[in-house]
């Protein structure tokens, strides 16, 4: 394993007869096989490419893992090249997706700093760190569409606040990854389960719910942006936005033994991460409670708790329908 971290790689271990270095001090390697000039040494990341983006180093590490598996004769799935995402469409840039300014890192006063060599930056408080993380655009982590399962009902086209799903005159369609903001509203509504999310798919969340409830008890489903928990003693499953809560998740939690399921939701006037997210959450909870009533179970086993304080500071605006 070659570890490439920070701005320079420590290649002092490369002795004579080991992997060769080029004139820039990077490992000479074959990009197709992620192989260095030594037959049993593979490399990835900045130690072969020079400085670049972390995401490229991560992708390169995955390719190296596949190359190593193949070298060892272990079956490894091919990594498909991801489809290009493209630029955020102009109509979304101009008003629909709000810019989220960077938070200023707290730092020691300059008069103090010149006195010593102590750390200058003081670090974020948890709330600030979470807000910074929430500025992530979630590029490419949104909706994944299956034409095979799609029944062309156009529900996704109707419910998406960002106009990302499309359909042609024959009812065949897709989702524009550049426009998709990963709110998850479409996948909770698709009657054919033809949509899932690239990151935190419904299947993954269901598995997490079951795992968290292995010992019984209560469950809180909330969003992962700064907020106070509504049921601090309950096990928690956190999502980028509670717009992603599906009826299936709520019912599965009860099936898995939850004594009570709390769903924390923004108040109606809160400019949440995804503007219409709270409406979607309310609808999912109402539907799950109605399903409980239908089978003569107590609907209060699922409770929607409105979080009054403004908790999501990014606030992705969306056009009014
Ligand atoms: S909601 Fe689902 S089934 Fe309906 S058009 Fe969209 S992807 Fe197809
Ligand atoms: S509803 Fe949300 S997740 Fe679905 S396509 Fe639109 S932006 Fe993407």
């Amino acid at each position: 394993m070659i570890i490439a971290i920070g701005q320079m790689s420590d290649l002092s271990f490369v002795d004579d007869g080991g992997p060769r270095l080029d004139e820039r001090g990077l490992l000479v390697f074959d990009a197709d096989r992620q192989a260095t000039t030594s037959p049993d040494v593979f490399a990835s990341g900045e130690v072969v490419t020079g400085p670049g983006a972390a995401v490229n180093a991560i992708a390169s590490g995955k390719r190296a893992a596949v190359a190593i598996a193949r070298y060892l004769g272990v079956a490894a799935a091919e990594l498909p090249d991801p489809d290009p995402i493209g630029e955020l469409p102009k109509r979304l840039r101009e008003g629909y997706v709000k810019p989220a300014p960077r938070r200023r890192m707290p730092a020691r006063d300059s008069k103090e700093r010149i006195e010593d060599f102590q750390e200058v930056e003081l670090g974020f408080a948890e709330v600030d760190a979470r807000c910074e993380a929430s500025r992530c655009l979630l590029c490419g982590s949104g909706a994944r569409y299956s034409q095979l399962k799609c029944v062309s009902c156009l529900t996704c086209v109707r419910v998406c606040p960002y106009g990302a799903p499309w359909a042609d005159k024959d009812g065949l369609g897709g989702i524009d990854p550049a426009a998709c903001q990963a709110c998850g509203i479409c996948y909770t509504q698709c009657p054919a389960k033809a949509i899932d999310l690239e990151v935190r798919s419904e299947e993954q969340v269901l598995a997490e719910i079951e795992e968290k409830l292995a010992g019984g008890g209560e469950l809180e489903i909330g969003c992962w942006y700064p907020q106070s928990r509504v049921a601090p003693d309950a096990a928690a499953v956190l999502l980028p936005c509670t717009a992603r809560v599906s009826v299936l998740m709520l019912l599965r939690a009860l099936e898995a033994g939850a004594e009570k399921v709390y769903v924390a939701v923004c108040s109606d006037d809160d400019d949440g991460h995804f503007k219409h997210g709270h409406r979607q959450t309310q609808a999912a909870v109402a539907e799950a409670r109605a399903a409980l009533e239908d089978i003569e179970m107590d609907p209060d086993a699922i409770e929607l708790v409105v979080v009054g304080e403004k908790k999501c500071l990014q606030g992705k605006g969306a056009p009014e329908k």
Side-chain angles (χ1 to χ4, degrees):
M1 179 181 290
I2 308 286
I3 298 173
I5 191 166
Q7 295 178 338
M8 287 181 63
S9 308
D10 178 3
L11 291 169
S12 54
F13 67 93
V14 179
D15 300 324
D16 284 349
R20 270 209 332 271
L21 301 178
D22 65 15
E23 63 284 357
R24 291 190 298 159
L26 303 174
L27 285 169
V28 175
F29 96 134
D30 171 354
D32 288 337
R33 297 182 301 119
Q34 299 285 134
T36 65
T37 52
S38 292
D40 51 357
V41 179
F42 296 79
S44 65
E46 295 173 10
V47 77
V48 290
T49 61
V55 70
N56 292 332
I58 293 164
S60 169
K62 287 187 174 179
R63 281 195 297 274
V66 172
I68 292 167
R70 265 204 223 104
Y71 177 75
L72 295 172
V74 178
E78 280 297 333
L79 292 174
D81 280 336
D83 293 332
I85 291 172
E87 279 195 22
L88 188 68
K90 192 159 175 263
R91 68 185 166 80
L92 294 181
R93 274 203 312 270
E94 293 177 353
Y96 292 12
V97 177
K98 293 180 194 165
R102 192 173 174 176
R103 305 205 138 218
R104 184 185 284 270
M105 171 66 75
R108 295 171 69 208
D109 189 85
S110 54
K111 289 195 192 81
E112 265 180 51
R113 294 182 207 172
I114 56 171
E115 299 294 330
D116 56 40
F117 292 100
Q118 299 300 311
E119 199 81 59
V120 169
E121 294 186 330
L122 299 172
F124 285 130
E126 183 181 340
V127 65
D128 295 309
R130 283 179 176 270
C131 287
E132 273 299 282
S134 79
R135 295 170 68 228
C136 172
L137 297 175
L138 297 170
C139 304
S141 62
R144 185 177 51 213
Y145 164 82
S146 162
Q147 201 170 71
L148 278 178
K149 294 183 187 166
C150 175
V151 294
S152 305
C153 67
L154 303 189
T155 301
C156 52
V157 177
R158 189 169 46 78
V159 299
C160 174
Y162 301 96
W166 54 271
D168 64 16
K169 62 181 173 33
D170 298 320
L172 297 175
I175 291 172
D176 176 2
C180 176
Q181 301 297 300
C183 71
I185 290 175
C186 59
Y187 98 117
T188 64
Q189 297 285 306
C190 173
K193 292 279 172 209
I195 303 178
D196 208 339
L197 294 166
E198 291 286 351
V199 173
R200 298 236 337 121
S201 67
E202 186 172 51
E203 202 181 317
Q204 287 170 334
V205 176
L206 290 172
E208 185 181 339
I209 287 172
E210 286 176 1
E211 187 192 324
K212 293 268 168 77
L213 288 168
E218 298 184 329
L219 182 74
E220 173 180 340
I221 303 183
C223 83
W224 65 32
Y225 297 110
Q227 66 171 9
S228 41
R229 294 270 311 278
V230 298
D233 296 331
V237 170
L238 304 180
L239 304 169
C241 176
T242 49
R244 291 187 174 200
V245 175
S246 65
V247 176
L248 180 59
M249 288 175 198
L250 299 172
L251 298 181
R252 183 66 62 82
L254 295 177
E255 198 180 44
E259 292 152 19
K260 174 108 183 175
V261 181
Y262 297 93
V263 182
V265 67
C266 309
S267 58
D268 277 357
D269 55 357
D270 195 355
D271 190 7
H273 196 67
F274 301 110
K275 196 154 184 167
H276 298 312
H278 64 281
R279 292 188 203 158
Q280 171 57 35
T281 317
Q282 288 164 351
V285 170
E287 201 177 325
R289 285 171 59 97
L292 292 182
E293 275 180 324
D294 282 349
I295 56 171
E296 296 182 355
M297 278 182 67
D298 180 6
D300 289 341
I302 301 173
E303 187 178 335
L304 189 74
V305 184
V306 176
V307 180
E309 76 211 54
K310 190 174 179 73
K311 59 194 181 303
C312 165
L313 303 183
Q314 177 168 351
K316 289 190 174 182
E320 289 301 325
K321 301 288 271 186

